Amino acid sequence: MCTKHHACRSKKIALNPSHVGSCSSPKILSIAPAGVESTGQDGCSSTSCSSGCDPIDEDADPRLDETSPFTHSWKIDGMDCPSCAQKIETAVNKIDGVLQSQVLFTTQKLVVNASHSGVVQLVEKTIIDTGFSFGQLSSTYVSDSSSGWRNILLKNKSIIAIASSMAVAAALKPTFPQVSEWLFVLTCLIGLYPIGKKAISLAKSGTPFAIETLMSVAALGALYLGETAEAAMVLLLFLIGEQLESFAAYKARSGVQALMKLVPETATKIVNGQRVNVPASDLQPNDVIEVSPGGRLPADGRLEFGNASFDESALTGESIPVERSQGDSVMAGAVAVDKVVRFVVTSKQGENAIDRILHLIEEAESRKAPLERFLDRFSRWYTPLMMVVALLVITIPPLAFGQPWETWTYRGLALLLIACPCALVISTPAAITSGLAAAARRGALIKGGAALEQLGKVEAVAFDKTGTLTKGEPEVTDVIALNGWDEHQILERMASIELGSSHPLAISLVNRARQLQIEIPESSDKQALVGIGVTGFINGVRYSAMAPSKLDLELSPELNKNIHRLEEQGKTVVIAIEDNHLPIGIIAWQDTLRDDSAKSVAVLKQLGVKAVMLTGDNPRSARAIGDQIGIDYQASLSPQDKVTYVEKLSQQVHVAMVGDGINDAPAMKAANIGIAMGSGTDVALETADAAITHNRLIELVGMIELSRATLSNIHQNIALALGLKGVFLVTSLLGITGLWVAVLADSGATAIVTLNALRLLRFKSKLTS
């Protein structure tokens, strides 16, 4: 059963196999956040849920407090919409001992923080009482869709039974009207029983104004008025609407659930030279596994030897197989194309690339868009207010104007059903869920509705240069010795003070020294001077590598000439200094532009989005890069200068900052939205509001187009929901339409806006596809 929560959990959201979190529980399910063990029992049969009408407002960050003593998790079945998730949260949060709960609609998971382990049975009872069922979380993907006539009949048995009974009652009406009336009443009461029972449970658990409540009141009111056939029709249309919503919910989750299928359940492990078939959940770092052509990797791994091609299209959207060499990292879910390959596993259980993507999507659900939060608040007072309005419609005309009670009671009940804001409430989360799933399938991870909304408003994009517009793999191109020194000595001293640094230039320099088999001496008191250079002591002598523009020294004309020449070639230049005064050499690096940098900048301009490059490089080097890809630039910027520039720019336009390094994180925070490259540092990925997992910069354009399409979809949904309700509200008050049309207006509007949102799952970029 559910177990005590292990306190240790990595909070880093690493998208690259090399950025794996450092800690997890001994047994972690593949779709669960690290540190959460999950269980549950097979619950009783699910009663289908419809759109709830009283969602909880969550302005604060609702992510669970991981310091609580116990954490439990379950898979919830029967949720048709995000409002269903909120119904469960409301009920579970009322349990004594529950500190906090969260239902993740996309992955159908309930996670509960509790003060003691005794809440497990209470939570499971509450789930069932609220009208849902639960099961055991597992890494196995189980489709929600039912195929075959037998499954379809079983799933829709209530609808078929009610429809059949109504057909019999209608056939008997001409000859046995009394029998027909009682059959309609019996059909309605039997069909209404589970709905009314659920309405009572929801009211007790804190959701008194759910659609089940309104439906029960309207159906009973119709029976009281003698409209037996219409009461049964209202019930039938309601159940059909539920099934439509259930299908739409499955389609909305399909993009995320498709990710779960990418990791196989078993793996071929090499043990003492023998092949052993083991569950993928048993794999640990440093295990050696074998994958045959056509097979998928069950974990992140490092290619043990040789070269091989891999189809990573399910993860990156890139249809062409990629070539990997010995020592290269390959993500879980990639397909081996041309040969049998062996890997050394690098990911812990529950922390492979697919798990991290799913975890990020789960976290995204907790970050609602401002518009979504507004609609949640709106629905909290809107439904009770409309119940009062319906009551006034029922009572005022008869009391004040002597109108018939039956007529206005009927119209008030119709108004009650039309007034339910289900379609309005689901209009935004349905579109956002579809948008996030569509983005994830393209390899772009957006952390929630708020980030999605911000992306759609972007008017300018600020790019870091190294690792973003370029590949971040600079190579030493020039070493020019000065004042009697030779190239070997310069590389020896500079590699010594750069050793241990994670900066791409430093790594490249150290690698160059090692390639030349230079013995690197020990240095002491090493210090990184942000935006300036690095310094350290070797045998008591200070050595520094400094940017030319940051030097206080007066350089000779010949030295300046060499610097200018190298910088005009787009190279990054540093001066090697001894004892703070003697230049001993010039070192230059050149990075390679990403293949799609120029195209990305050009397509952004087509979208009307301004692009600017922010770099610490000198103006000449920045201009050389800028001219190649057609982008404006700001050069010689320190990390603080980048922040200042982004803050100033964000006062004029909506700004996105794209970066990959630790020094980019402050500027990403200062922007309206921060976007990290998937190969970037954990700090950048943690800070960012979105990430491009496969490092294809052109996907940024797709993200902006998708976000704009999502915002447009939300506006369409709100217009449809309010428009349909407005039309039928007037016709119901005038007596033109009745109860069954009111149900059709509510269920129909909910189905329409959900199906409209599902169009986003098939989104294709017009400019990049």
Side-chain angles (χ1 to χ4, degrees):
M1 195 51 61
C2 304
T3 61
K4 189 172 180 179
H5 173 63
H6 297 269
C8 181
R9 170 182 170 187
S10 171
K11 285 193 171 186
K12 295 177 181 177
I13 302 169
L15 308 175
N16 190 287
S18 62
H19 298 119
V20 179
S22 58
C23 170
S24 67
S25 297
K27 293 188 290 182
I28 303 171
L29 299 164
S30 73
I31 62 169
V36 177
E37 271 194 62
S38 135
T39 77
Q41 318 173 1
D42 294 332
C44 59
S45 62
S46 167
T47 45
S48 184
C49 163
S50 68
S51 304
C53 299
D54 189 31
I56 301 169
D57 179 35
E58 295 176 339
D59 285 319
D61 185 354
R63 284 175 291 177
L64 297 177
D65 175 12
E66 296 169 18
T67 61
S68 64
F70 296 89
T71 297
H72 313 277
S73 52
W74 295 261
K75 179 180 182 290
I76 304 297
D77 297 313
M79 294 190 297
D80 296 337
C81 61
S83 296
C84 297
Q86 292 171 347
K87 289 178 184 178
I88 299 169
E89 283 182 13
T90 302
V92 171
N93 280 331
K94 288 182 174 291
I95 298 174
D96 185 34
V98 171
L99 303 177
Q100 192 175 9
S101 70
Q102 184 178 2
V103 178
L104 302 159
F105 173 70
T106 303
T107 48
Q108 300 174 274
K109 182 165 64 177
L110 165 64
V111 184
V112 175
N113 280 353
S115 58
H116 57 84
S117 60
V119 303
V120 171
Q121 288 75 21
L122 292 174
V123 171
E124 292 173 354
K125 182 177 184 302
T126 300
I127 293 169
I128 295 171
D129 289 345
T130 311
F132 301 90
S133 61
F134 62 90
Q136 182 176 3
L137 276 172
S138 76
S139 58
T140 305
Y141 170 82
V142 180
S143 174
D144 288 344
S145 64
S146 297
S147 60
W149 284 107
R150 181 180 177 82
N151 286 331
I152 292 173
L153 290 174
L154 286 173
K155 191 171 184 179
N156 296 285
K157 59 185 178 182
S158 297
I159 294 175
I160 294 169
I162 291 172
S164 301
S165 181
M166 287 178 64
V168 172
L172 291 174
K173 191 165 187 177
T175 51
F176 301 101
Q178 203 66 29
V179 175
S180 174
E181 286 293 302
W182 280 108
L183 187 55
F184 274 124
V185 171
L186 190 62
T187 299
C188 186
L189 289 176
I190 292 174
L192 195 61
Y193 174 75
I195 297 172
K197 184 179 177 182
K198 184 175 180 180
I200 293 170
S201 296
L202 288 170
K204 288 180 180 178
S205 63
T207 310
F209 301 116
I211 181 62
E212 289 82 2
T213 304
L214 304 183
M215 177 64 212
S216 300
V217 171
L220 292 174
L223 289 177
Y224 171 75
L225 295 173
E227 301 288 346
T228 55
E230 190 156 14
M233 178 61 75
V234 164
L235 177 65
L236 179 62
L237 289 173
F238 173 75
L239 293 175
I240 291 173
E242 278 192 320
Q243 289 302 317
L244 285 174
E245 290 173 19
S246 178
F247 172 75
Y250 160 72
K251 294 297 290 182
R253 281 192 291 253
S254 62
V256 174
Q257 290 175 329
L259 289 171
M260 301 179 193
K261 294 193 294 182
L262 295 181
V263 179
E265 285 298 299
T266 60
T268 303
K269 182 178 175 182
I270 306 301
V271 181
N272 297 325
Q274 301 296 315
R275 295 175 179 83
V276 181
N277 208 30
V278 299
S281 58
D282 290 347
L283 295 177
Q284 296 296 328
N286 298 320
D287 285 349
V288 177
I289 58 173
E290 187 174 270
V291 179
S292 300
R296 291 189 182 274
L297 268 70
D300 294 344
R302 186 176 64 251
L303 191 58
E304 190 174 38
F305 54 81
N307 300 317
S309 295
F310 295 90
D311 178 1
E312 299 180 351
S313 57
L315 295 162
T316 68
E318 182 59 59
S319 58
I320 301 174
V322 294
E323 188 79 13
R324 301 295 183 195
S325 303
Q326 180 177 345
D328 286 352
S329 296
V330 184
M331 293 183 287
V335 179
V337 174
D338 55 352
K339 60 180 70 173
V340 176
V341 287
R342 287 192 179 183
F343 290 89
V344 177
V345 174
T346 57
S347 61
K348 296 180 180 179
Q349 174 57 25
E351 293 184 358
N352 65 47
I354 302 298
D355 297 325
R356 294 193 294 276
I357 290 172
L358 289 169
H359 176 45
L360 189 56
I361 293 172
E362 288 176 346
E363 283 204 329
E365 283 197 62
S366 69
R367 297 180 171 96
K368 292 186 177 182
L371 181 58
E372 187 178 358
R373 289 198 298 268
F374 167 75
L375 290 175
D376 283 353
R377 288 194 298 269
F378 172 74
S379 68
R380 295 186 72 182
W381 60 262
Y382 169 81
T383 305
L385 177 63
M386 292 308 298
M387 292 190 77
V388 173
V389 171
L391 183 62
L392 294 176
V393 167
I394 292 170
T395 56
I396 289 179
L399 292 176
F401 305 105
Q403 297 289 314
W405 279 97
E406 292 83 1
T407 299
W408 288 97
T409 300
Y410 183 88
R411 293 181 184 180
L413 292 174
L415 174 65
L416 196 64
L417 288 175
I418 290 170
C420 180
C422 297
L424 185 62
V425 169
I426 200 176
S427 61
T428 299
I432 286 175
T433 300
S434 296
L436 293 175
R441 288 164 72 173
R442 296 171 62 93
L445 299 184
I446 304 171
K447 298 182 184 178
L452 193 68
E453 189 171 324
Q454 293 293 329
L455 259 174
K457 299 176 181 177
V458 165
E459 300 167 275
V461 178
F463 292 96
D464 169 55
K465 180 177 78 71
T466 304
T468 303
L469 291 172
T470 67
K471 293 181 179 179
E473 300 171 358
E475 294 183 359
V476 176
T477 58
D478 301 86
V479 179
I480 302 174
L482 304 171
N483 296 317
W485 286 67
D486 61 35
E487 179 181 331
H488 186 285
Q489 291 172 315
I490 294 168
L491 287 173
E492 178 188 84
R493 303 299 196 281
M494 294 302 104
S496 177
I497 62 173
E498 295 278 20
L499 189 63
S501 172
S502 60
H503 194 285
L505 297 181
I507 293 171
S508 174
L509 181 65
V510 172
N511 288 340
R512 176 64 177 272
R514 286 174 173 164
Q515 286 169 6
L516 296 175
Q517 298 183 342
I518 296 173
E519 186 174 341
I520 302 174
E522 287 293 326
S523 59
S524 59
D525 295 332
K526 291 186 288 190
Q527 183 180 2
L529 308 173
V530 180
I532 299 173
V534 65
T535 184
F537 287 86
I538 303 173
N539 297 326
V541 180
R542 179 190 291 272
Y543 292 91
S544 307
M546 312 282 279
S549 60
K550 307 299 182 182
L551 285 175
D552 293 331
L553 300 176
E554 186 173 342
L555 304 178
S556 68
E558 173 133 9
L559 185 52
N560 276 318
K561 183 179 178 180
N562 278 327
I563 292 170
H564 292 176
R565 175 178 58 81
L566 294 169
E567 289 178 345
E568 284 172 354
Q569 296 171 11
K571 297 177 180 178
T572 300
V573 178
V574 301
I575 307 298
I577 306 291
E578 182 186 43
D579 266 348
N580 285 340
H581 70 276
L582 179 65
I584 60 175
I586 303 173
I587 303 175
W589 291 261
Q590 189 157 44
D591 202 351
T592 306
L593 280 169
R594 292 190 185 276
D595 297 335
D596 58 355
S597 292
K599 182 180 178 182
S600 301
V601 171
V603 178
L604 282 173
K605 290 179 181 177
Q606 292 182 45
L607 279 177
V609 178
K610 176 185 176 182
V612 60
M613 176 177 70
L614 308 183
T615 178
D617 276 355
N618 60 84
R620 285 182 293 275
S621 179
R623 183 174 63 249
I625 297 293
D627 289 345
Q628 289 183 59
I629 60 177
I631 190 173
D632 294 334
Y633 61 88
Q634 294 290 319
S636 301
L637 299 181
S638 67
Q640 183 55 50
D641 292 334
K642 291 183 181 180
V643 172
T644 303
Y645 180 85
V646 170
E647 287 177 340
K648 187 181 297 184
L649 186 60
S650 63
Q651 293 172 6
Q652 304 166 22
V653 292
H654 227 71
V655 181
M657 173 68 192
V658 187
D660 74 314
I662 294 173
N663 61 333
D664 299 320
M668 290 162 65
K669 268 297 184 187
N672 298 102
I673 180 167
I675 302 169
M677 303 299 287
S679 59
T681 63
D682 287 345
V683 173
L685 291 165
E686 185 81 16
T687 303
D689 303 296
I692 303 171
T693 62
H694 48 59
N695 297 314
R696 287 196 302 151
L697 203 56
I698 193 66
E699 197 53 53
L700 174 62
V701 179
M703 290 169 70
I704 294 175
E705 284 187 283
L706 175 60
S707 299
R708 291 181 178 180
T710 303
L711 290 179
S712 175
N713 193 283
I714 290 170
H715 296 149
Q716 293 168 12
N717 283 349
I718 292 173
L720 283 168
L722 291 178
L724 286 172
K725 287 188 181 296
V727 168
F728 288 110
L729 184 66
V730 173
T731 57
S732 294
L733 287 176
L734 294 176
I736 299 172
T737 53
L739 281 177
W740 71 272
V741 177
V743 174
L744 195 61
D746 175 66
S747 298
T750 303
I752 288 171
V753 299
T754 306
L755 292 171
N756 185 47
L758 293 180
R759 293 190 302 114
L760 291 168
L761 292 174
R762 300 191 302 272
F763 171 82
K764 289 185 178 180
S765 170
K766 295 178 182 178
L767 297 175
T768 63
S769 57

